[in-house]
Amino acid sequence: MSLELVCPAGTPAALRAAVEAGAHSVYCGFRDETNARNFPGLNFSPDELVEGIRFAHAHGAKVLVAINTFAKAGAMDAWKAALANAEKAGADAVILADLAVLDHAATHHPDLRLHLSVQAAAATPEAIAFYADTFGVKRVVMPRVLSVEEIAKLNAAIDVETEAFVFGGLCPMTEGRCSLSSYATGKSPNLTGVCSPPEHVAYSEDRNGTATRLNGFTIDRFGAGEQAGYPTLCKGRFMAGGKTSYLFEDPVSLNAASLIAALAKAGITALKIEGRQRGKGYVTEVVRTFRAAVEAIDAGGTEVEVGRLLAGLVEGGRQTSGAYKKAWR
Amino acid sequence: MAEHFRGELPRLLRILAAPAGFLPLGPALTLAVRRFARRKPAVFDRLGDYGKCSFLIEPSDLDISFLMVPDGTRAEVKCLRRRAGQTADVTVRGPLLVLLGLLDGTFDGDALFFNRAIAVSGRTDALVALRNAIEDAELTPADFVGATGGLGKLVDRSVIGGLGLARRFTGSPIPGEPS
């Protein structure tokens, strides 16, 4: 097998669905602020993680635990506990971003395999070499701002594994450094694990359609029947220069299925599917489809029509290859 | 505001379903949810304090709605006439078959929202918590009627098969395919 398929699980049921649909690895997080999908009702208790890892291993799949928010100054206990619980549960790797958490893991859990989260935004050979040399990081998740060519050059200059997102929600900003959610709500994926925390999101309907509000700011309005997107500022519609438009990014999902072969050629080890906040229906369909796509490419067969098969699951009803093929660079 | 959703029941079935409003659905569903809470308390732990929130479920193709407070073994479900004008912490509206698909995990809630197959209002955090708790619950039709063992499997096979046929017949969204 040339490419590892790394799939999301927000709940134990989603983990089982991902494994049964063909995930080589599943990533998940604990039910607290230590991971970047800290939504109500989502994630795993330590006991659920133990059970989930047992299930995954019994089916030949790995479990990677995301502990990828930035620890609070002077209050690192939750992150230390998460590392200890991940190791105790038998995690195959932890996905980290914060220097202090990486240092603690390397010092106190030397047997844990360390992956560097996209939240660390390591996009240069120098940065990646620092994480590899200092903490023994074995894999780096590529920031979603790089083109395939840039990833190929990067891989030629480093000697750790790399993982690239191929499907799902798309951050147009450099992850780990975006403050839009903090600006509007005081909470961010970087520190509290939530972008546009749901307690600040409200939808209201009137004869003009559905308005989306984030902490009182109206950030979009969808007409009847118009496709909707996530309630994030980066995908909001604003007026500038007398024109209303999506200023940063349209509501759209990443789909790099057509670039799987190119990413493999560029030296990528693993393909990552976004969506720990999504349901079992999404996990099953996306994982099954991408597993078929990877196997078809491995076998030199016909490309699977991923875009058509998954069209009903994407944000805003649209798909993009994102920065991987960005021409304006 | 009147909204028309893809996958609604045809007019004849709506007429046939109209007497459902006179059945004791509220007490029956209350018992079913409480029974489920005793069997799988972890699902309600996942819901946390949001279990005390009220959720108004409005099938857009029926003249009844359901007001639910999913507070574990103290859960309560009321069946209401649609025009009762009930308020709740959260309101979810969509075709009956689509709403049932959310319960058993057939549909992804985000995808239904993107495609406007459902409409939501009220406390988004409570809705997200309920959605995630339901996702992990792996509810089956047998859970609602309290059937277990061979009978439970028979109920699940029959109801899931029937719902699948009904969704195809009504043009409900198909997982993965655009609405």
Side-chain angles (χ1 to χ4, degrees), chain A residues 11 37-42 194 196-199 201 203 230-231 276-278, chain B residues 46-47 50 55 90 92 110 120 122-136:
Chain A
T11 61
R37 285 289 183 275
N38 180 24
F39 289 102
L42 204 67
V194 277
S196 291
E199 68 269 27
V201 175
Y203 299 101
Y230 282 122
R276 282 193 283 143
Q277 76 285 8
R278 303 294 292 264
Chain B
R46 185 173 284 281
L47 195 52
Y50 293 111
F55 297 85
V90 179
V92 185
D110 287 7
V120 300
R123 287 188 57 180
T124 308
D125 51 342
L127 178 63
V128 169
L130 180 68
R131 191 278 302 267
N132 289 330
I134 287 173
E135 272 289 331
D136 195 46

Side-chain angles (χ1 to χ4, degrees), chain B residues 11-53:
Chain B
R11 188 175 170 77
L12 177 63
L13 277 181
R14 293 185 200 203
I15 293 168
L16 291 174
F22 298 101
L23 295 173
L25 289 177
L29 288 170
T30 296
L31 278 176
V33 177
R34 289 182 182 183
R35 189 168 48 224
F36 186 72
R38 280 192 290 275
R39 279 183 45 227
K40 291 193 177 178
V43 171
F44 295 85
D45 291 344
R46 185 173 284 281
L47 195 52
D49 287 341
Y50 293 111
K52 293 181 169 55
C53 292

Side-chain angles (χ1 to χ4, degrees), chain A residues 61-81:
Chain A
K62 293 177 184 169
V63 175
L64 321 178
V65 180
I67 308 172
N68 59 345
T69 47
F70 292 85
K72 281 183 191 153
M76 248 189 83
D77 286 354
W79 286 264
K80 289 178 182 175

Side-chain angles (χ1 to χ4, degrees), chain A residues 12-13 16 31 40-41 43 48 198 201 203 205-206 210 222-223 226-228 230 277-280 309-312, chain B residues 1 3 46 50 93 105 108 110-111 113-116 119-121 124-125 128-129 131-132 135-136 138 176-178:
Chain A
R16 292 191 290 273
R31 210 180 299 167
N43 295 317
E48 287 170 341
V201 175
Y203 299 101
E205 290 176 44
D206 58 29
T210 302
F222 302 100
E226 190 180 7
Q227 292 271 347
Y230 282 122
Q277 76 285 8
R278 303 294 292 264
K280 295 187 295 289
L309 292 171
L310 302 180
Chain B
M1 186 179 70
E3 279 198 66
R46 185 173 284 281
Y50 293 111
R93 189 164 59 258
D108 173 77
D110 287 7
F113 175 72
F114 295 152
N115 291 319
R116 313 297 295 277
V120 300
S121 60
T124 308
D125 51 342
V128 169
R131 191 278 302 267
N132 289 330
E135 272 289 331
D136 195 46
E138 300 192 296
E177 291 184 3

